[in-house]
Amino acid sequence: MLDLTYETPKPKVIAGATGDWELVIGLEVHAQVATAAKLFSGASTQFGAEPNSNVAFVDAGMPGMLPVINEGCVAQAVKTGLGLKAEINLTSAFDRKNYFYPDLPQGYQISQLYHPIVGEGEVLVEMGPDSGQPGTARVVRIERIHLEQDAGKSIHDMDPAMSFVDLNRTGVALMEIVSRPDIRGPEEAAAYVAKLRQIMRYLGTCDGNMQNGNLRADVNVSVCRPGDYEKYQETQDFSHLGTRCEIKNMNSMRFIQAAIEHEARRQIAILEDGGSVDQETRLYDPDKNETRSMRSKEEAHDYRYFPDPDLLPLEIEQAWVDDIAAALPELPDAKKARFIADFGLTDYDASVLTADVTNAAFFEAVADGTDGKLAANWVINELFGRLKKDDRDISDSPISAARIGQIVGLIKSDKISGKIAKNVFEIAYTQDRDPEEIVKTEGLEQVTDTGAIEAAVVEIIAANPAQVEKAKVNPKLAGWFVGQVMKATGGKANPAAVNKLVAEKLGL
Ligand code: ADP
Ligand code: MG
C-alpha cells in the first residue's frame, strides 16, 4: 500500500435504546463502460439519442440473433481491474440470468455469475474534509468485477394510459464492482463511490456521470454491536454480522448517505423491538426519506442462471493483460503522493488538485518550471474560484496554464506583488492577454529600488508629524504609513521593503 500513514476512520455509531449499534455496508456499483458500441452488438451507446435508434437486432431480442463480444469492453474491464489492483482472470464466462422485464426483450440478462473477469482487489478510501474525520483512510476490499448487459428504460409518465419503452440502453456494457462489507458509515460509502469514479475517470473506463445513470450503486446495509465486525474480520464468518437489506439503484451521493442512515435506523428499531430484519431488496424514496420493501431477497437459483450457450468462455492472454498494464496512466494515489513529494503540497491541496485528472494536468502545466506551492495556491484559490464564478469548466478556461505559470513566475521573481498579480490575473483572464505584456504595458512592475521607496517614506513621514508621534506610542499605526506609501507608488512598491523602511524611519 502506498500510504501507511493514514489512520483508520471510526465506524459510524448510532446510540439505540439498548446500547450502541455500528453500521456495516457493502456496495455493488454498476459502472457503464466507456465505449462506443454495446457489449454484444455494434449499436451505438450515445447518450440522449432519439429513442430506439441505437438498437441492433440482438439487443431487441430477435430470434436467432447471436451476441458477439466487444473486445473494447473486455479491455476496459481489465483496465479497471488493474486500476483496483485486482486479480485478472484469464478465463471467464457468461451466464444467463433469467427474468422478465419489458425493457429486456431477450428475457434474460447476460452476466458473469460463476466466473467473473476480475477477482479480488482493493481501493484506498480517504475521508474528505467534511467527514469529521479528515486525513483518515480505509482499504476497502473488492470481491469481484463482472461484465453484464444493462436493461432498457420503461417510460410510464409520458401518457396517462400507456407505457413506452426505449431500448437504446438495452445491451450497453456495465461493470458490476462488488465490494466486501468493509464500509462502516454513510460518508465512507459516498467516499468509496467517489474514489471508484475518480479512478475510472483517470483510466477512461467509465465517465462516472451519475445524473445520466452511468454510475449507480446497490447499497447493502446491516447493523451490529460494537466488536462484532472485528470478529467477522478475524474469521470472515458472516454470522457475526447482522442481516442486510439491499437498497437498489442509487445514483446520487447525497441519497446514498441519506438512505444508509435511514435504513440503519429502521433496522435498529426493529431489532430493539425484539423483531428480526428480513433480508430483502428495498427502494429509497428521497421525497419521503424512507426505504420501502420492493421484494424479498431472491437467490441465484430463482434466476435459473446457466452458462450462455451462445457465447464461448472468454479466454484472454497474459501478454495482452501485460500490454494494458504497461499503458496504465498514473493513478490518483500515486499522483497525489508525487504532488506532495515533488511540489511540497499539503495533503489537502494535493487531494483537491488530483480529484480530477484534467485539473491535475492543468496544475502540472502551471507548476512547470516555477514554484509548485505557489502554483497550487493560484490554481485552487484564484483560478478555481474565478471559473466557478463564471460557471466554467477548466477545459474552457479563458486563461491558459502557461499564463498562470507566468504570473506565478512574476511573483516569485519579485517583479510584481501578490496584490498586483490579482489584477494582472483578472486582465489576462478577461482580455485574453499575456501577463508579461500586461505588466510592461500597464507599468505594473514592482518597485524594489529601495532608494525610490525610501524617498516616498521620508516624504510621507515629513508631511505627517502628528501621525509620527502617535505611531511612536502605538507601533501598530505604522501600518497607516505603509498604506500611504503603497498608495503613493500605485501599489507597486515591494511590501516587504516598505514595511522594513517605515519601521526603520519611524525608529520602531
Ligand atoms: P448475494 O450473492 O446475495 O448478492 P453477496 O455475497 O454477493 O450476496 O453480497 C452482495 C453485497 O452485499 C456485497 O457488496 C457484500 O459486501 C454485501 N454484504 C454481504 N453481507 C453483508 C452484511 N451483513 N452487511 C452489509 N453488507 C453485506
Ligand atoms: Mg451479489
Side-chain angles (χ1 to χ4, degrees):
M1 210 60 248
L2 183 83
D3 249 308
L4 297 166
T5 54
Y6 291 108
E7 280 196 35
T8 309
K10 295 202 171 47
K12 164 103 181 176
V13 175
I14 295 180
T18 60
D20 283 349
W21 296 90
E22 288 183 3
L23 275 61
V24 175
I25 301 155
L27 265 66
E28 298 160 279
V29 169
H30 291 92
Q32 185 180 320
V33 178
T35 166
K38 294 185 181 179
L39 183 54
F40 297 115
S41 85
S44 165
T45 58
Q46 194 209 338
F47 182 81
E50 180 75 11
N52 297 307
S53 59
N54 294 341
V55 189
F57 287 132
V58 67
D59 306 322
M62 294 292 165
M65 294 297 119
L66 290 174
V68 178
I69 185 84
N70 176 346
E71 184 181 326
C73 295
V74 178
Q76 292 289 58
V78 168
K79 215 172 174 184
T80 304
L82 292 170
L84 300 178
K85 304 190 188 101
E87 184 192 331
I88 306 298
N89 295 324
L90 298 182
T91 302
S92 63
F94 290 98
D95 305 295
R96 286 187 182 180
K97 182 182 188 181
N98 296 281
Y99 48 97
F100 174 79
Y101 277 155
D103 47 28
L104 188 76
Q106 281 169 162
Y108 53 85
Q109 176 194 32
I110 304 178
S111 182
Q112 298 189 303
L113 176 67
Y114 302 108
H115 305 286
I117 184 157
V118 177
E120 295 189 344
E122 63 179 35
V123 50
L124 181 74
V125 178
E126 294 158 74
M127 303 299 284
D130 304 328
S131 67
Q133 309 190 64
T136 62
R138 189 189 304 280
V139 176
V140 173
R141 293 169 301 159
I142 304 291
E143 182 186 319
R144 57 189 276 155
I145 305 176
H146 58 260
L147 276 167
E148 63 183 26
Q149 298 175 299
D150 205 350
K153 214 162 71 184
S154 295
I155 302 157
H156 305 296
D157 56 5
M158 261 174 68
D159 186 283
M162 280 187 290
S163 281
F164 295 86
V165 68
D166 176 5
L167 299 182
N168 280 352
R169 213 175 57 188
T170 309
V172 165
L174 299 179
M175 296 178 278
E176 178 169 335
I177 306 169
V178 183
S179 85
R180 299 277 180 195
D182 287 349
I183 299 162
R184 307 301 314 281
E187 289 98 353
E188 261 188 65
Y192 167 77
V193 175
K195 187 62 180 276
L196 285 185
R197 179 171 66 177
Q198 182 192 25
I199 292 172
M200 290 190 288
R201 287 172 57 99
Y202 268 62
L203 292 166
T205 57
C206 169
D207 72 19
N209 187 330
M210 295 183 88
Q211 264 157 12
N212 293 355
N214 286 350
L215 195 66
R216 322 189 282 267
D218 297 344
V219 182
N220 297 271
V221 182
S222 66
V223 296
C224 64
R225 293 296 192 178
D228 287 345
Y229 180 79
E230 287 70 21
K231 285 186 207 144
Y232 154 73
Q233 267 200 320
E234 260 166 46
T235 57
Q236 294 302 305
D237 177 352
F238 280 83
S239 68
H240 293 296
L241 300 180
T243 303
R244 71 180 187 270
C245 284
E246 178 182 9
I247 313 161
K248 275 279 176 207
N249 241 334
M250 310 287 306
N251 68 344
S252 129
M253 300 286 192
R254 199 157 58 81
F255 292 163
I256 286 175
Q257 297 184 58
I260 290 171
E261 176 97 29
H262 172 83
E263 177 58 20
R265 289 180 189 279
R266 187 189 71 87
Q267 292 179 13
I268 291 168
I270 293 174
L271 293 169
E272 294 200 322
D273 208 34
S276 58
V277 174
D278 291 331
Q279 190 175 330
E280 59 185 1
T281 302
R282 301 179 69 85
L283 270 186
Y284 176 67
D285 179 344
D287 296 328
K288 297 206 178 105
N289 187 27
E290 63 176 32
T291 62
R292 274 199 301 273
S293 180
M294 197 175 148
R295 53 176 188 249
S296 66
K297 174 70 187 174
E298 62 295 326
E299 305 286 340
H301 62 247
D302 294 329
Y303 292 113
R304 208 171 70 88
Y305 273 101
F306 66 92
D308 193 306
D310 289 342
L311 288 157
L312 287 168
L314 182 58
E315 305 270 358
I316 57 178
E317 282 173 10
Q318 187 60 47
W320 187 65
V321 175
D322 293 343
D323 285 348
I324 295 174
L328 284 189
E330 182 182 38
L331 289 169
D333 292 343
K335 201 184 281 291
K336 181 176 160 186
R338 182 168 62 81
F339 279 13
I340 293 171
D342 288 6
F343 300 115
L345 303 190
T346 60
D347 193 278
Y348 177 78
D349 283 357
S351 285
V352 172
L353 291 169
T354 54
D356 182 279
V357 69
T358 323
N359 291 355
F362 192 97
F363 160 71
E364 280 205 78
V366 173
D368 185 26
T370 181
D371 183 290
K373 230 175 137 72
L374 198 54
N377 285 343
W378 272 79
V379 171
I380 295 172
N381 299 324
E382 301 305 321
L383 178 67
F384 288 175
R386 193 65 180 79
L387 290 173
K388 197 166 176 195
K389 199 168 140 199
D390 282 0
D391 199 16
R392 270 178 191 267
D393 215 55
I394 196 140
S395 52
D396 65 351
S397 167
I399 180 167
S400 68
R403 282 180 173 172
I404 300 177
Q406 262 189 33
I407 295 177
V408 173
L410 287 165
I411 301 170
K412 199 61 200 163
S413 60
D414 267 345
K415 291 236 168 59
I416 56 175
S417 67
K419 204 163 165 223
I420 293 281
K422 292 190 183 186
N423 300 340
V424 174
F425 174 87
E426 187 60 23
I427 298 170
Y429 182 98
T430 49
Q431 301 176 17
D432 188 18
R433 282 167 61 188
D434 188 77
E436 275 163 13
E437 172 273 316
I438 296 167
V439 170
K440 260 199 209 98
T441 316
E442 315 288 335
L444 295 175
E445 207 155 314
Q446 176 159 262
V447 181
T448 42
D449 167 11
T450 41
I453 298 173
E454 192 171 346
V457 173
V458 169
E459 192 176 314
I460 286 158
I461 284 179
N464 298 282
Q467 283 288 336
V468 172
E469 288 316 309
K470 281 192 205 154
K472 282 191 170 147
V473 185
N474 180 4
K476 272 193 196 149
L477 296 178
W480 181 83
F481 290 93
V482 173
Q484 293 301 306
V485 175
M486 293 308 277
K487 215 173 185 180
T489 56
K492 290 181 291 183
N494 180 318
V498 177
N499 272 305
K500 188 161 162 270
L501 283 163
V502 165
E504 242 176 67
K505 297 285 165 199
L506 287 173
L508 298 176

